[in-house]
Amino acid sequence: MFRLKEESLPPDASEPADLEKLGYFINDFGQIRMIDHPDQDYQFHWYSQERHNEVRREAMQVCQRNEVLHRLSNLGIEKLYLPQLTNTQPKDPHIPILAPPADILKSRKRIVVLINDSLQDLGILAYRRLQRELGVNGGSVVNFAKEMITRSVELDKELDITKDRAAITDKNKETPSLIVMNCGQPCYSYKENRALSLRSWATLPRKSISHDTVILDPVYNFVPGHRNAKEHIKTVFDQVINNPDFVSPNAEIFVIGIENGAENFLEMLNSEFGKYAGRITAMAVVNSLLAASQLPNPKLRAFLRQRTRQWRVATGSNDPKDCIEVPTAGPDVEIHDSSTPSKSFSSKTKNIPEHINWLENNSQAGTVSTLVDCLKNFDLNPKNPMESAEEVDDTTDQTLCPTFADDDNPTGAGECIFTSPLVRRCILEFFEEVVRDPVGFRNPKFQITAHEPKYGNQFDESGYQPLLPPEMSPEHMELHLKQEELATMKSSFAATPTDRPELQAGRQGLEKRIAKTESDIEVLEKKTLANGGMKAGEAPELRDNWKTVGGGPKIPFAGTMVDAELVRDAGLLDTVEEALEELDSGTGD
């Protein structure tokens, strides 16, 4: 009888957490591309064995997370380790969040708190966008932090903060007051001395590739106060946001909750509204699945109607300014077109400037103290107090708050909504509306302005949706895809650094493929034109560039001998190739 000893089992998969060794680099646009093919994104299916692919993905994402943290550090945002409340990584169990240093954070008048989904790592919005077209900045919170800076101050003209790898010069004045919670990394590894997501835990080294995942102990591998997303949110509020050593008691707190991050936060408010609601000036929700009936607290539901807006995946629109749902219950206020700024500012705020500085220090404590008192008493405007449970019966209303569409989102993924610059801009504009009247603000009654997408509900007589838009033929679609491919290749070529020797071979190969693709497009244009597949206005432009052709070999065509170049330019490429092969073989006439 034979047996296989444990030491004879094949070793576990192992990949270096080094971008260059994995075959990738970061181009000048912040996008992650292959060294050998600078126009190609990250590819998951690199090996035939799934375990190797998973370990390789984790190594890639470690590199991506480190790059995100490095870029946020350049903007003044560092890791803050809980429960130690230190910026230096401790040796004891800990969970990190992202925040400016305490001395900067507690001086700020306005603070944005981002509560991400529990499936995302710290600072990451969507890996699927980070690893592809949006790059390190767009797929993480880096661009949002930069937007808070650019909306607040006039930076040095010689420094464009929006550029890739840009850093601020004065951290005391330019660091954005942004706190990013960490709902997605609840596991703690003593061996690695770091917090991990469940997916990262599954990739920890094993004794062999045949062994099971490292056991996750429900007690020792979780940090007290952070065992799940709800505990983590509550602990961050208790230890950081409600801690005067980190956040001023008079600071205005604006919360952005993404997917189940918003749901966990709202459930916490539902049970402890009086304890935490007094600190929240306004809230933006991104793609929550909660219905109003799941939040029985009437004060919370009134708060959501008055000081909260939501953006979610919508089929009827891809414009973040389009309102798609409104709560049916609540006070009757003026009808408001969501495409224009709100008119709900009180007369007391006329002296507040149009420009809102998100980096402003907390110097007007009295006004903010009044706001906190009003929120605690749930009387946001002495003349227009929010309705109480006795005044409004909204048990049949399932809409949390005024809800708006997302931006163009081909994947339909909720995690991708906040990666859109338009959505982020709409959220900050909403918060700025509140800032202009922090005590008296309440949502107007929005009009539903959503419209059907251009090709969303167009069906043919058989009842099926057409595969192509009406004005696009299959030939034109092929040409269109080829043109998009060429645009991507040219953009990648321009973004590939010229001063790195290891990238030159891939850059030269890309240059050759660009030339070949341009030649292919020229042939496709002629073929599409010959078949009548060009869109309106495109054919005359092509004809203007026509050149006299001829001088090629004669081939039999339509009962006579015709110049092969003329037949080829007419789009009959297959006919020309067959005729030339016959001439070469001597079988033709």
Side-chain angles (χ1 to χ4, degrees):
M1 180 177 181
F2 297 96
R3 65 187 180 91
L4 182 63
K5 294 183 178 180
E6 186 175 82
E7 57 269 19
S8 300
L9 292 172
D12 190 21
S14 177
E15 294 285 343
D18 185 298
L19 209 57
E20 186 173 341
K21 292 181 180 178
L22 291 169
Y24 292 85
F25 75 102
I26 300 176
N27 65 18
D28 292 340
F29 295 160
Q31 299 167 323
I32 297 175
R33 294 290 185 261
M34 296 179 66
I35 293 177
D36 295 336
H37 303 280
D39 59 323
Q40 297 296 316
D41 302 320
Y42 165 72
Q43 297 180 11
F44 173 76
H45 296 285
W46 194 256
Y47 301 105
S48 59
Q49 220 283 344
E50 197 72 4
R51 172 65 178 171
H52 285 272
N53 289 327
E54 292 172 353
V55 172
R56 182 172 179 270
R57 176 184 59 192
E58 176 62 19
M60 277 288 298
Q61 292 182 352
V62 168
C63 299
Q64 293 160 9
R65 292 195 292 269
N66 290 339
E67 184 66 24
V68 168
L69 295 175
H70 173 69
R71 295 179 182 219
L72 288 173
S73 178
N74 289 338
L75 301 177
I77 299 176
E78 306 284 351
K79 277 186 176 182
L80 176 64
Y81 296 93
L82 303 178
Q84 294 82 3
L85 296 177
T86 176
N87 294 113
T88 304
Q89 185 174 9
K91 295 183 180 180
D92 299 325
H94 57 267
I95 298 292
I97 64 172
L98 296 173
D103 58 332
I104 296 177
L105 187 61
K106 66 182 178 182
S107 68
R108 292 290 192 255
K109 182 177 181 178
R110 304 178 186 96
I111 296 173
V112 176
V113 178
L114 180 64
I115 307 176
N116 206 347
D117 187 82
S118 60
L119 294 179
Q120 299 298 339
D121 287 303
L122 179 62
I124 305 297
L125 296 176
Y127 278 117
R128 73 178 79 196
R129 305 299 296 274
L130 186 152
Q131 295 170 161
R132 293 177 177 84
E133 69 279 7
L134 293 185
V136 176
N137 299 321
S140 69
V141 299
V142 173
N143 271 354
F144 180 66
K146 288 184 176 183
E147 189 158 357
M148 290 181 65
I149 298 173
T150 55
R151 292 177 74 92
S152 302
V153 296
E154 293 185 4
L155 300 174
D156 188 348
K157 294 182 179 179
E158 297 180 357
L159 174 64
D160 185 359
I161 196 66
T162 61
K163 287 186 177 180
D164 190 50
R165 297 185 176 90
I168 58 177
T169 55
D170 189 341
K171 291 191 176 182
N172 288 325
K173 295 181 179 180
E174 299 171 356
T175 297
S177 49
L178 174 65
I179 297 176
V180 182
M181 294 194 190
N182 189 3
C183 297
Q185 296 178 330
C187 312
Y188 175 77
S189 169
Y190 285 87
K191 184 176 181 179
E192 301 283 334
N193 189 32
R194 61 188 176 101
L196 300 169
S197 65
L198 290 173
R199 184 165 61 184
S200 296
W201 185 275
T203 62
L204 288 176
R206 307 174 186 177
K207 290 183 178 180
S208 76
I209 201 169
S210 302
H211 278 78
D212 292 331
T213 305
V214 177
I215 296 176
L216 180 62
D217 190 279
V219 176
Y220 294 104
N221 293 123
F222 289 89
V223 181
H226 304 271
R227 298 183 187 278
N228 54 53
K230 291 180 183 178
E231 281 191 12
H232 174 72
I233 295 170
K234 181 179 173 64
T235 301
V236 172
F237 263 86
D238 291 340
Q239 295 187 359
V240 180
I241 297 175
N242 289 340
N243 184 348
D245 293 334
F246 285 89
V247 177
S248 169
N250 297 316
E252 300 173 8
I253 307 297
F254 298 86
V255 176
I256 301 174
I258 301 177
E259 297 195 286
N260 68 21
E263 295 165 12
N264 289 320
F265 177 66
L266 291 177
E267 289 174 0
M268 183 189 77
L269 287 183
N270 187 65
S271 58
E272 299 183 80
F273 184 84
K275 181 178 180 180
Y276 297 105
R279 293 309 314 271
I280 306 165
T281 307
M283 180 177 180
V285 176
V286 177
N287 209 57
S288 170
L289 299 180
L290 276 179
S293 59
Q294 296 175 268
L295 302 172
N297 190 318
K299 291 187 176 182
L300 172 59
R301 294 168 74 165
F303 175 83
L304 292 173
R305 286 192 298 270
Q306 297 286 353
R307 286 182 172 264
T308 304
R309 295 178 190 175
Q310 178 175 204
W311 283 261
R312 76 174 190 200
V313 175
T315 58
S317 173
N318 58 0
D319 185 352
K321 292 185 178 181
D322 273 341
C323 184
I324 58 175
E325 281 187 356
V326 293
T328 56
D332 292 330
V333 294
E334 62 176 316
I335 300 295
H336 175 54
D337 185 352
S338 59
S339 62
T340 60
S342 175
K343 305 293 184 182
S344 59
F345 312 141
S346 70
S347 59
K348 297 180 181 180
T349 62
K350 290 182 179 179
N351 295 327
I352 296 180
E354 186 72 17
H355 174 77
I356 301 299
N357 184 359
W358 287 97
L359 311 182
E360 183 179 354
N361 287 334
N362 193 359
S363 58
Q364 299 178 355
T367 302
V368 184
S369 296
T370 303
L371 168 64
V372 173
D373 292 339
C374 288
L375 288 171
K376 286 181 178 179
N377 297 326
F378 210 62
D379 184 4
L380 300 183
N381 190 328
K383 295 182 180 180
N384 297 292
M386 279 194 171
E387 62 275 14
S388 64
E390 293 78 12
E391 294 172 333
V392 176
D393 180 15
D394 59 355
T395 54
T396 60
D397 186 13
Q398 299 302 311
T399 305
L400 290 176
C401 56
T403 303
F404 300 83
D406 63 341
D407 194 7
D408 187 22
N409 188 356
T411 62
E415 65 181 14
C416 297
I417 295 177
F418 195 65
T419 63
S420 163
L422 289 178
V423 172
R424 294 196 301 263
R425 193 172 302 122
C426 286
I427 290 176
L428 286 176
E429 288 173 355
F430 160 51
F431 288 164
E432 289 167 1
E433 288 183 36
V434 181
V435 168
R436 295 186 183 97
D437 187 6
V439 176
F441 177 87
R442 57 177 179 165
N443 279 323
K445 189 174 182 180
F446 288 97
Q447 291 179 330
I448 295 179
T449 57
H451 54 272
E452 292 298 329
K454 191 172 182 181
Y455 308 114
N457 290 325
Q458 293 186 359
F459 295 88
D460 57 22
E461 295 179 356
S462 64
Y464 292 95
Q465 187 174 356
L467 297 177
L468 298 175
E471 70 272 16
M472 185 172 287
S473 65
E475 293 83 4
H476 191 274
M477 174 60 78
E478 183 182 3
L479 175 60
H480 176 69
L481 293 176
K482 206 71 174 178
Q483 289 171 337
E484 285 188 341
E485 180 184 350
L486 178 62
T488 300
M489 294 168 69
K490 287 185 174 181
S491 175
S492 300
F493 182 79
T496 303
T498 58
D499 57 349
R500 296 177 58 180
E502 69 273 15
L503 303 180
Q504 294 313 305
R507 182 182 172 87
Q508 292 171 3
L510 178 58
E511 189 173 16
K512 293 178 181 178
R513 285 186 284 121
I514 288 175
K516 183 180 183 304
T517 304
E518 288 176 335
S519 176
D520 293 342
I521 287 177
E522 185 177 350
V523 173
L524 281 174
E525 286 177 341
K526 294 177 180 179
K527 183 178 179 180
T528 305
L529 181 61
N531 293 337
M534 301 300 293
K535 293 174 66 175
E538 292 182 342
E541 182 179 351
L542 284 176
R543 292 193 182 101
D544 290 341
N545 297 324
W546 279 2
K547 298 178 182 179
T548 303
V549 296
K554 302 293 184 180
I555 61 173
F557 180 77
T560 185
M561 301 300 290
V562 182
D563 192 293
E565 295 298 323
L566 294 177
V567 179
R568 177 182 283 109
D569 289 337
L572 304 176
L573 306 180
D574 295 337
T575 302
V576 174
E577 298 301 329
E578 291 175 2
L580 291 176
E581 288 179 2
E582 291 179 357
L583 289 176
D584 292 339
S585 62
T587 59
D589 294 337

